[in-house]
Amino acid sequence: MAKFNESDIRHLFDLNLKQAERKLASLKFCSKKTPEFQGLSGWVFEQTIQFCISKELKAKGIHPEFDEQKSLEGKARVDIVINKHVAIEIKLAGLFDGTAAARYHKYRKNAEKLGYTYLYVTMQEGYGPYKPGFPK
């Protein structure tokens, strides 16, 4: 049985993001009460998903090893690779442009050439026209 459901992950992400903002704000050189910059929430979501996957696998007796930002080909990178078998692209808010679906389809093909099973995980896909864009 799964240890985390969608609601658990959303709640954990919200807590982790607030904690990250507080910790960053506590740095002596930080000039903002609540730091905000591009990539923070996405990184926190990636780390939250990695944490949840780790807990789920350990509950099944599997001890995962994670490689972060693993190269697929050229500048193409995948967010995490688990036990050298599963490559996961993790996005907080889904696709951002009309070419993204084709780009991630190419990433999947590159990952499969390297022997990985490729997964794309997102909390939500907010922009309607991109929802059906992902090749199956």
Side-chain angles (χ1 to χ4, degrees):
M1 176 156 203
K3 296 179 73 61
F4 298 95
N5 62 32
E6 179 183 356
S7 177
D8 295 333
I9 292 169
R10 284 180 182 273
H11 179 70
L12 188 56
F13 164 71
D14 290 338
L15 291 174
N16 290 345
L17 183 58
K18 284 179 178 58
Q19 181 182 18
E21 290 169 344
R22 279 193 311 272
K23 294 281 186 176
L24 286 169
S26 74
L27 297 172
K28 290 180 183 180
F29 62 85
C30 186
S31 61
K32 292 185 82 174
K33 189 174 185 174
T34 304
E36 295 176 38
F37 53 88
Q38 186 174 359
L40 176 61
S41 59
W43 178 79
V44 170
F45 186 62
E46 288 174 20
Q47 294 298 308
T48 300
I49 293 298
Q50 184 172 321
F51 172 83
C52 293
I53 289 171
S54 178
K55 293 291 185 189
E56 294 279 356
L57 291 175
K58 285 178 182 176
K60 299 282 187 194
I62 300 168
H63 299 284
E65 291 181 24
F66 294 93
D67 288 320
E68 296 182 17
Q69 299 302 312
K70 185 79 171 166
S71 178
L72 294 177
E73 180 181 71
K75 292 183 180 182
R77 297 190 167 283
V78 68
D79 293 317
I80 60 173
V81 172
I82 306 170
N83 290 352
K84 300 180 178 23
H85 296 324
V86 179
I88 306 177
E89 186 67 34
I90 303 168
K91 297 292 176 218
L92 174 61
L95 306 177
F96 290 102
D97 61 61
T99 63
R103 181 172 56 253
Y104 291 118
H105 180 73
K106 182 179 175 186
Y107 286 7
R108 186 186 89 207
K109 293 294 182 189
N110 290 342
E112 289 171 349
K113 284 180 193 173
L114 294 170
Y116 302 135
T117 297
Y118 180 84
L119 300 172
Y120 176 92
V121 176
T122 184
M123 172 106 57
Q124 65 186 15
E125 181 56 68
Y127 185 57
Y130 296 159
K131 286 182 183 183
F134 241 84
K136 300 198 176 13

